[in-house]
Amino acid sequence: MSIKGINNTELLQLLAKGWPPEQAGIATEFAARWQFCLRSSGKIEAPEQNALRFNLHLNGLRLHGAENVACLAIGGSGENANNIGVLVKNFWYKTNSTDRLVFVLACSDDAYEQAVAALPQVRCLRLRPEQILSVLQSCEPLSRLKYLLREQYSPHQLLPYNITMPVKENMFFGRENELDRLINEPSNSFAIVGAGRLGKTSLALEFHRRLLRENDSRATRKFHIDFFDCIEQTSDGVARFLAKEIDPSKRSSEMTVHDLAFFLRFQANKLGGPVEMFLDEVDRVCHLQAFDILTMSARRGICRFVMCGRAMLLRILMTENSPLNKRVEMIRLLPLDEGAAGKLILEPMEDLGFDIINQEKLLQQVFHWTGRLPHLLQFYGTRLVNLALASGAKVIVPELVDKVRSAFETVQLFAEQLEKLSDATTRIMAEHLLTDGRRHFTLPGVQEIGRQRGINLNNAQTLEICNDLVISNVLMWHEDAYYIANQSLVHYARKMRFLDNQPKNAHLPF
């Protein structure tokens, strides 16, 4: 009988005896079955004596580190298991990381005992043969795996919400319309514009992951270039930085802006298609001549770019004589739709083992205070889970939302958005809009609110203020109008009485 014809119990019995590298078909079959039952993919490495390393991409698991799990399958009994401790220690040394889950799958009791002795007690899932079999034979293997993870990992280690970094693949929700445009409009270059932490980089990274999953040839000629690391902020400096990121050579280190178009044409011919670039943090450099060259090269089909930025990028896109104006498609990131926002809040909590009482009311309150902005949803998700853990409860109830809203960290998060507005007129107009009582505003409506407070703004000034408030996460775009980004800003602006603290003779430049 072939290996593929034996059942899981028989396969584990064979693995328990161990295997030499040249007879490791049983180990690779085990890894393939493990991946299949968990609906995962991942690289299976060349087997060693009694050991096989492979990866799992558990993107359906909303837990920290699940998108790139390092796995080690081990076997052998008696004297045949004597090398297991060293193998396990080497594996742990190479894979130990706070950014990924680590699984050690022991196919024999002897291998398990050696693995336990070699591994730390935290940040690693250690499974006995019967536990492995319980996953392979379960009607819901992912649910069984979650239970085992929660037994051996701290919930704080599994908490997947994150507001400081781009989200991982297993925590990306929504944005399907934007992704559809990035994927299916290959002739257009795009500018993703919005406030910080709104998901610009996360969207661009998900675009790249989808190209890889679909075996799209564009993925082989795509480059991620982060201008946060660009020290020389001149046109020649930007050209050199970009060239070295694409092709790190002596010629690239001598690049000038006048050579950039030729360089991109050469790379397009070399790569077999337009150079695909994801340009991040462009605000400090997008006004330079190098970006004019990029735009002209994109029009000629030599390259195509997706760039992410904030206020400066928005101003340049809206400047009539800018090469970027009307030649780059602008994507304005809006709040997540209710379906995606609900999944972002609830699915990680459920995978962490919490029962959610009155989900509809909980979501209604969270959406109200966050405006369904992804970073604020994750902020609330983190605080709700931590409050439940601190109380020792395995349930999350709507009443916890009020505790998050009144917490010092939450007050500071929203207060800082107003305090960081450096322009006096913009800040005062923000506070008037937040305390006006309306949610939506047209430009004439904003001008009228200003006039009522003694601030006279022309159309250009009003548009600039509104767009600055969008970039500051105070307002959101809505077709040809604006609306308050979330009710938390309204609540804290009224509660902390910012306007009462303004000096009576505050300088108004307009």
Side-chain angles (χ1 to χ4, degrees):
M1 182 183 293
S2 70
I3 294 174
K4 293 187 180 295
I6 65 177
N7 62 38
N8 291 324
T9 301
E10 293 169 332
L11 181 62
L12 279 174
Q13 289 172 349
L14 290 175
L15 291 166
K17 299 174 184 177
W19 60 86
E22 64 273 12
Q23 297 177 7
I26 54 172
T28 53
E29 173 65 17
F30 167 75
R33 291 189 188 188
W34 190 258
Q35 290 177 339
F36 178 79
C37 86
L38 296 173
R39 287 172 281 174
S40 172
S41 61
K43 182 181 178 182
I44 300 176
E45 298 186 8
E48 304 173 60
Q49 172 114 10
N50 296 335
L52 177 68
R53 304 181 189 200
F54 62 98
N55 292 337
L56 294 173
H57 301 305
L58 299 173
N59 294 319
L61 200 62
R62 314 303 184 186
L63 297 174
H64 177 70
E67 78 288 344
N68 183 23
V69 183
C71 299
L72 178 69
I74 51 177
S77 301
E79 293 183 0
N80 194 22
N82 288 340
N83 65 329
I84 292 299
V86 175
L87 287 170
V88 170
K89 284 183 179 179
N90 288 339
F91 169 73
W92 176 252
Y93 177 78
K94 292 179 180 179
T95 59
N96 176 23
S97 169
T98 57
D99 287 333
R100 67 194 307 192
L101 297 175
V102 178
F103 294 177
V104 174
L105 312 174
C107 301
S108 72
D109 290 332
D110 288 349
Y112 178 81
E113 296 302 327
Q114 290 214 32
V116 168
L119 289 167
Q121 295 298 310
V122 296
R123 290 192 289 112
C124 182
L125 179 69
R126 304 168 296 276
L127 297 186
R128 295 178 178 274
E130 58 270 22
Q131 293 172 316
I132 295 171
L133 200 58
S134 74
V135 174
L136 288 172
Q137 295 182 339
S138 173
C139 296
E140 296 183 359
L142 266 178
S143 296
R144 175 61 182 162
L145 180 63
K146 293 174 198 176
Y147 173 80
L148 294 168
L149 279 166
R150 293 193 295 264
E151 277 195 328
Q152 297 190 34
Y153 270 87
S154 159
H156 294 288
Q157 294 170 340
L158 297 174
L159 189 67
Y161 302 111
N162 179 14
I163 64 170
T164 61
M165 301 286 289
V167 298
K168 303 293 186 180
E169 186 173 1
N170 65 326
M171 285 293 288
F172 187 92
F173 294 91
R175 306 291 191 211
E176 292 302 323
N177 290 334
E178 293 88 346
L179 283 167
D180 184 66
R181 294 199 67 193
L182 294 177
I183 292 170
N184 296 317
E185 297 182 28
S187 299
N188 289 333
S189 289
F190 291 91
I192 306 174
V193 182
R197 301 190 295 185
L198 200 57
K200 301 183 296 294
T201 303
S202 297
L203 174 62
L205 292 175
E206 179 65 14
F207 163 55
H208 180 60
R209 289 191 290 259
R210 296 207 180 181
L211 292 182
L212 289 172
R213 287 203 300 270
E214 296 170 9
N215 294 318
D216 193 307
S217 62
R218 287 177 288 176
T220 63
R221 30 190 175 87
K222 188 172 186 301
F223 300 88
H224 181 177
I225 302 170
D226 189 345
F227 284 99
F228 182 83
D229 300 319
C230 181
I231 298 173
E232 189 180 354
Q233 295 171 29
T234 65
S235 284
D236 286 345
V238 167
R240 276 190 289 275
F241 181 78
L242 190 147
K244 286 190 288 187
E245 290 291 304
I246 294 174
D247 183 12
S249 64
K250 183 176 184 295
R251 183 176 181 180
S252 296
S253 65
E254 298 170 351
M255 180 71 58
T256 69
V257 70
H258 302 294
D259 302 323
L260 185 57
F262 177 80
F263 169 82
L264 291 171
R265 184 180 295 277
F266 174 81
Q267 292 297 325
N269 291 332
K270 176 181 172 183
L271 295 167
V275 182
E276 295 270 343
M277 291 175 285
F278 163 36
L279 310 176
D280 207 358
E281 298 288 350
V282 302
D283 270 53
R284 296 184 298 169
V285 294
C286 60
H287 62 287
L288 297 171
Q289 184 186 0
F291 276 78
D292 299 349
I293 302 297
L294 284 176
T295 305
M296 295 302 105
S297 297
R299 289 187 66 193
R300 296 178 180 131
I302 297 169
C303 70
R304 185 236 192 177
F305 55 83
V306 176
M307 56 181 170
C308 299
R310 306 185 195 183
M312 179 59 74
L313 177 58
L314 179 60
R315 290 193 184 100
I316 290 174
L317 288 169
M318 300 183 73
T319 300
E320 191 65 33
N321 61 353
S322 166
L324 295 178
N325 180 264
K326 298 177 183 176
R327 291 172 179 161
V328 177
E329 296 285 328
M330 181 161 54
I331 293 179
R332 300 179 176 188
L333 291 187
L334 302 176
L336 296 180
D337 62 69
E338 289 191 0
K343 290 180 180 179
L344 177 54
I345 282 289
L346 298 179
E347 290 189 6
M349 293 178 181
E350 291 166 348
D351 284 0
L352 286 165
F354 288 98
D355 290 325
I356 302 152
I357 308 302
N358 200 340
Q359 291 188 11
E360 185 176 345
K361 183 178 179 181
L362 179 86
L363 290 179
Q364 184 181 39
Q365 291 184 9
V366 172
F367 291 173
H368 179 77
W369 296 117
T370 65
R372 302 198 308 274
L373 299 180
H375 67 293
L376 297 181
L377 289 167
Q378 297 211 62
F379 176 87
Y380 262 77
T382 300
R383 267 69 188 171
L384 288 169
V385 168
N386 284 335
L387 282 173
L389 291 173
S391 69
K394 294 301 291 182
V395 298
I396 293 179
V397 297
E399 287 73 22
L400 290 178
V401 176
D402 284 337
K403 291 187 177 182
V404 174
R405 180 172 55 83
S406 60
F408 173 79
E409 294 82 4
T410 311
V411 176
Q412 286 298 108
L413 176 69
F414 290 97
E416 285 173 2
Q417 289 182 230
L418 294 175
E419 292 169 351
K420 286 181 179 179
L421 295 171
S422 57
D423 177 75
T425 305
T426 302
R427 179 175 178 178
I428 291 174
M429 284 303 301
E431 293 164 351
H432 284 315
L433 293 173
L434 291 172
T435 55
D436 178 74
R438 282 174 279 180
R439 181 81 191 275
H440 292 81
F441 306 93
T442 61
L443 288 178
V446 173
Q447 289 175 306
E448 177 60 28
I449 290 172
R451 278 195 295 271
Q452 292 172 358
R453 277 81 173 178
I455 304 172
N456 294 311
L457 304 170
N458 62 33
N459 290 340
Q461 292 167 339
T462 308
L463 181 63
E464 182 176 355
I465 284 176
C466 288
N467 285 337
D468 283 347
L469 292 177
V470 167
I471 297 300
S472 301
N473 256 337
V474 176
L475 296 180
M476 294 294 295
W477 284 300
H478 180 69
E479 298 176 353
D480 60 345
Y482 300 84
Y483 66 96
I484 302 297
N486 57 76
Q487 286 303 112
S488 290
L489 289 167
V490 175
H491 173 78
Y492 296 119
R494 290 173 175 169
K495 183 176 180 179
M496 300 183 74
R497 303 181 68 84
F498 284 110
L499 288 173
D500 291 352
N501 298 327
Q502 288 291 328
K504 298 300 182 184
N505 59 345
H507 174 58
L508 302 181
F510 295 148

